[in-house]
PDB file of all heavy atoms in Angstrom:
ATOM      1  N   GLN A 208      21.111 -16.507   1.941  1.00 97.00           N
ATOM      2  CA  GLN A 208      20.833 -17.688   1.120  1.00 97.00           C
ATOM      3  C   GLN A 208      19.411 -17.710   0.553  1.00 97.00           C
ATOM      4  O   GLN A 208      19.062 -18.631  -0.189  1.00 97.00           O
ATOM      5  CB  GLN A 208      21.041 -18.961   1.960  1.00 97.00           C
ATOM      6  CG  GLN A 208      22.394 -19.061   2.631  1.00 97.00           C
ATOM      7  CD  GLN A 208      23.535 -19.026   1.642  1.00 97.00           C
ATOM      8  OE1 GLN A 208      23.501 -19.688   0.606  1.00 97.00           O
ATOM      9  NE2 GLN A 208      24.558 -18.240   1.950  1.00 97.00           N
ATOM     10  N   LEU A 209      18.594 -16.732   0.866  1.00 98.00           N
ATOM     11  CA  LEU A 209      17.190 -16.765   0.479  1.00 98.00           C
ATOM     12  C   LEU A 209      17.039 -16.683  -1.042  1.00 98.00           C
ATOM     13  O   LEU A 209      17.550 -15.773  -1.688  1.00 98.00           O
ATOM     14  CB  LEU A 209      16.433 -15.618   1.143  1.00 98.00           C
ATOM     15  CG  LEU A 209      14.903 -15.698   1.084  1.00 98.00           C
ATOM     16  CD1 LEU A 209      14.391 -16.940   1.813  1.00 98.00           C
ATOM     17  CD2 LEU A 209      14.274 -14.448   1.694  1.00 98.00           C
ATOM     18  N   VAL A 210      16.295 -17.663  -1.601  1.00 98.00           N
ATOM     19  CA  VAL A 210      16.136 -17.774  -3.043  1.00 98.00           C
ATOM     20  C   VAL A 210      14.691 -17.553  -3.478  1.00 98.00           C
ATOM     21  O   VAL A 210      14.442 -16.881  -4.476  1.00 98.00           O
ATOM     22  CB  VAL A 210      16.619 -19.155  -3.537  1.00 98.00           C
ATOM     23  CG1 VAL A 210      16.345 -19.333  -5.028  1.00 98.00           C
ATOM     24  CG2 VAL A 210      18.101 -19.340  -3.247  1.00 98.00           C
ATOM     25  N   GLN A 211      13.734 -18.116  -2.723  1.00 98.00           N
ATOM     26  CA  GLN A 211      12.334 -18.049  -3.127  1.00 98.00           C
ATOM     27  C   GLN A 211      11.465 -17.539  -1.978  1.00 98.00           C
ATOM     28  O   GLN A 211      11.579 -18.012  -0.845  1.00 98.00           O
ATOM     29  CB  GLN A 211      11.824 -19.425  -3.554  1.00 98.00           C
ATOM     30  CG  GLN A 211      12.533 -20.002  -4.759  1.00 98.00           C
ATOM     31  CD  GLN A 211      12.016 -21.378  -5.129  1.00 98.00           C
ATOM     32  OE1 GLN A 211      10.950 -21.794  -4.693  1.00 98.00           O
ATOM     33  NE2 GLN A 211      12.770 -22.094  -5.942  1.00 98.00           N
ATOM     34  N   VAL A 212      10.569 -16.594  -2.313  1.00 98.00           N
ATOM     35  CA  VAL A 212       9.611 -16.051  -1.350  1.00 98.00           C
ATOM     36  C   VAL A 212       8.235 -16.062  -1.989  1.00 98.00           C
ATOM     37  O   VAL A 212       8.051 -15.564  -3.107  1.00 98.00           O
ATOM     38  CB  VAL A 212       9.975 -14.602  -0.942  1.00 98.00           C
ATOM     39  CG1 VAL A 212       8.896 -14.024  -0.026  1.00 98.00           C
ATOM     40  CG2 VAL A 212      11.334 -14.566  -0.265  1.00 98.00           C
ATOM     41  N   ALA A 213       7.259 -16.652  -1.298  1.00 98.00           N
ATOM     42  CA  ALA A 213       5.872 -16.661  -1.776  1.00 98.00           C
ATOM     43  C   ALA A 213       4.959 -16.290  -0.620  1.00 98.00           C
ATOM     44  O   ALA A 213       4.858 -17.037   0.363  1.00 98.00           O
ATOM     45  CB  ALA A 213       5.501 -18.030  -2.339  1.00 98.00           C
ATOM     46  N   VAL A 214       4.303 -15.131  -0.732  1.00 98.00           N
ATOM     47  CA  VAL A 214       3.395 -14.661   0.320  1.00 98.00           C
ATOM     48  C   VAL A 214       2.002 -14.400  -0.255  1.00 98.00           C
ATOM     49  O   VAL A 214       1.195 -13.685   0.338  1.00 98.00           O
ATOM     50  CB  VAL A 214       3.944 -13.384   0.994  1.00 98.00           C
ATOM     51  CG1 VAL A 214       5.270 -13.665   1.666  1.00 98.00           C
ATOM     52  CG2 VAL A 214       4.085 -12.248  -0.026  1.00 98.00           C
ATOM     53  N   ASP A 215       1.713 -14.977  -1.415  1.00 98.00           N
ATOM     54  CA  ASP A 215       0.481 -14.681  -2.146  1.00 98.00           C
ATOM     55  C   ASP A 215      -0.769 -15.198  -1.446  1.00 98.00           C
ATOM     56  O   ASP A 215      -0.739 -16.141  -0.668  1.00 98.00           O
ATOM     57  CB  ASP A 215       0.556 -15.267  -3.559  1.00 98.00           C
ATOM     58  CG  ASP A 215       1.081 -16.697  -3.592  1.00 98.00           C
ATOM     59  OD1 ASP A 215       2.144 -16.953  -2.991  1.00 98.00           O
ATOM     60  OD2 ASP A 215       0.428 -17.560  -4.211  1.00 98.00           O
ATOM     61  N   TYR A 216      -1.886 -14.535  -1.770  1.00 98.00           N
ATOM     62  CA  TYR A 216      -3.210 -14.882  -1.259  1.00 98.00           C
ATOM     63  C   TYR A 216      -3.262 -14.905   0.266  1.00 98.00           C
ATOM     64  O   TYR A 216      -3.579 -15.902   0.906  1.00 98.00           O
ATOM     65  CB  TYR A 216      -3.683 -16.225  -1.852  1.00 98.00           C
ATOM     66  CG  TYR A 216      -3.853 -16.164  -3.343  1.00 98.00           C
ATOM     67  CD1 TYR A 216      -2.925 -16.753  -4.191  1.00 98.00           C
ATOM     68  CD2 TYR A 216      -4.918 -15.473  -3.918  1.00 98.00           C
ATOM     69  CE1 TYR A 216      -3.054 -16.670  -5.577  1.00 98.00           C
ATOM     70  CE2 TYR A 216      -5.056 -15.388  -5.303  1.00 98.00           C
ATOM     71  CZ  TYR A 216      -4.126 -15.988  -6.118  1.00 98.00           C
ATOM     72  OH  TYR A 216      -4.253 -15.900  -7.476  1.00 98.00           O
ATOM     73  N   ASN A 217      -2.920 -13.750   0.831  1.00 97.00           N
ATOM     74  CA  ASN A 217      -3.049 -13.505   2.259  1.00 97.00           C
ATOM     75  C   ASN A 217      -3.650 -12.113   2.433  1.00 97.00           C
ATOM     76  O   ASN A 217      -4.317 -11.621   1.527  1.00 97.00           O
ATOM     77  CB  ASN A 217      -1.684 -13.622   2.944  1.00 97.00           C
ATOM     78  CG  ASN A 217      -1.253 -15.064   3.139  1.00 97.00           C
ATOM     79  OD1 ASN A 217      -1.793 -15.782   3.987  1.00 97.00           O
ATOM     80  ND2 ASN A 217      -0.270 -15.515   2.354  1.00 97.00           N
ATOM     81  N   ALA A 218      -3.410 -11.491   3.567  1.00 96.00           N
ATOM     82  CA  ALA A 218      -3.913 -10.133   3.795  1.00 96.00           C
ATOM     83  C   ALA A 218      -2.829  -9.282   4.437  1.00 96.00           C
ATOM     84  O   ALA A 218      -3.085  -8.495   5.346  1.00 96.00           O
ATOM     85  CB  ALA A 218      -5.164 -10.170   4.672  1.00 96.00           C
ATOM     86  N   PHE A 219      -1.604  -9.438   3.947  1.00 97.00           N
ATOM     87  CA  PHE A 219      -0.494  -8.660   4.481  1.00 97.00           C
ATOM     88  C   PHE A 219      -0.683  -7.177   4.159  1.00 97.00           C
ATOM     89  O   PHE A 219      -1.167  -6.824   3.087  1.00 97.00           O
ATOM     90  CB  PHE A 219       0.832  -9.149   3.901  1.00 97.00           C
ATOM     91  CG  PHE A 219       1.249 -10.495   4.405  1.00 97.00           C
ATOM     92  CD1 PHE A 219       1.395 -11.566   3.535  1.00 97.00           C
ATOM     93  CD2 PHE A 219       1.499 -10.700   5.755  1.00 97.00           C
ATOM     94  CE1 PHE A 219       1.781 -12.811   3.995  1.00 97.00           C
ATOM     95  CE2 PHE A 219       1.874 -11.948   6.234  1.00 97.00           C
ATOM     96  CZ  PHE A 219       2.019 -13.007   5.351  1.00 97.00           C
ATOM     97  N   THR A 220      -0.283  -6.342   5.098  1.00 95.00           N
ATOM     98  CA  THR A 220      -0.432  -4.900   4.954  1.00 95.00           C
ATOM     99  C   THR A 220       0.943  -4.232   4.986  1.00 95.00           C
ATOM    100  O   THR A 220       1.969  -4.886   5.099  1.00 95.00           O
ATOM    101  CB  THR A 220      -1.304  -4.332   6.084  1.00 95.00           C
ATOM    102  OG1 THR A 220      -0.724  -4.689   7.358  1.00 95.00           O
ATOM    103  CG2 THR A 220      -2.711  -4.905   6.018  1.00 95.00           C
ATOM    104  N   GLY A 221       0.925  -2.912   4.907  1.00 95.00           N
ATOM    105  CA  GLY A 221       2.174  -2.170   4.912  1.00 95.00           C
ATOM    106  C   GLY A 221       2.832  -2.172   3.550  1.00 95.00           C
ATOM    107  O   GLY A 221       2.264  -2.626   2.560  1.00 95.00           O
ATOM    108  N   THR A 222       4.036  -1.681   3.485  1.00 95.00           N
ATOM    109  CA  THR A 222       4.765  -1.615   2.223  1.00 95.00           C
ATOM    110  C   THR A 222       5.499  -2.928   1.963  1.00 95.00           C
ATOM    111  O   THR A 222       5.708  -3.732   2.872  1.00 95.00           O
ATOM    112  CB  THR A 222       5.771  -0.461   2.242  1.00 95.00           C
ATOM    113  OG1 THR A 222       6.666  -0.645   3.345  1.00 95.00           O
ATOM    114  CG2 THR A 222       5.057   0.871   2.408  1.00 95.00           C
ATOM    115  N   LEU A 223       5.875  -3.124   0.707  1.00 96.00           N
ATOM    116  CA  LEU A 223       6.677  -4.296   0.373  1.00 96.00           C
ATOM    117  C   LEU A 223       8.003  -4.227   1.124  1.00 96.00           C
ATOM    118  O   LEU A 223       8.620  -3.163   1.201  1.00 96.00           O
ATOM    119  CB  LEU A 223       6.940  -4.349  -1.131  1.00 96.00           C
ATOM    120  CG  LEU A 223       5.736  -4.660  -2.012  1.00 96.00           C
ATOM    121  CD1 LEU A 223       6.071  -4.371  -3.475  1.00 96.00           C
ATOM    122  CD2 LEU A 223       5.296  -6.101  -1.842  1.00 96.00           C
ATOM    123  N   PRO A 224       8.438  -5.342   1.705  1.00 94.00           N
ATOM    124  CA  PRO A 224       9.686  -5.323   2.480  1.00 94.00           C
ATOM    125  C   PRO A 224      10.904  -5.104   1.585  1.00 94.00           C
ATOM    126  O   PRO A 224      11.249  -5.953   0.763  1.00 94.00           O
ATOM    127  CB  PRO A 224       9.709  -6.715   3.138  1.00 94.00           C
ATOM    128  CG  PRO A 224       8.865  -7.576   2.247  1.00 94.00           C
ATOM    129  CD  PRO A 224       7.804  -6.675   1.682  1.00 94.00           C
TER     130      PRO A 224
END
Side-chain angles (χ1 to χ4, degrees):
Q208 306 301 315
L209 193 62
V210 175
Q211 297 179 16
V212 175
V214 298
D215 46 309
Y216 297 105
N217 283 287
F219 289 118
T220 56
T222 58
L223 290 167

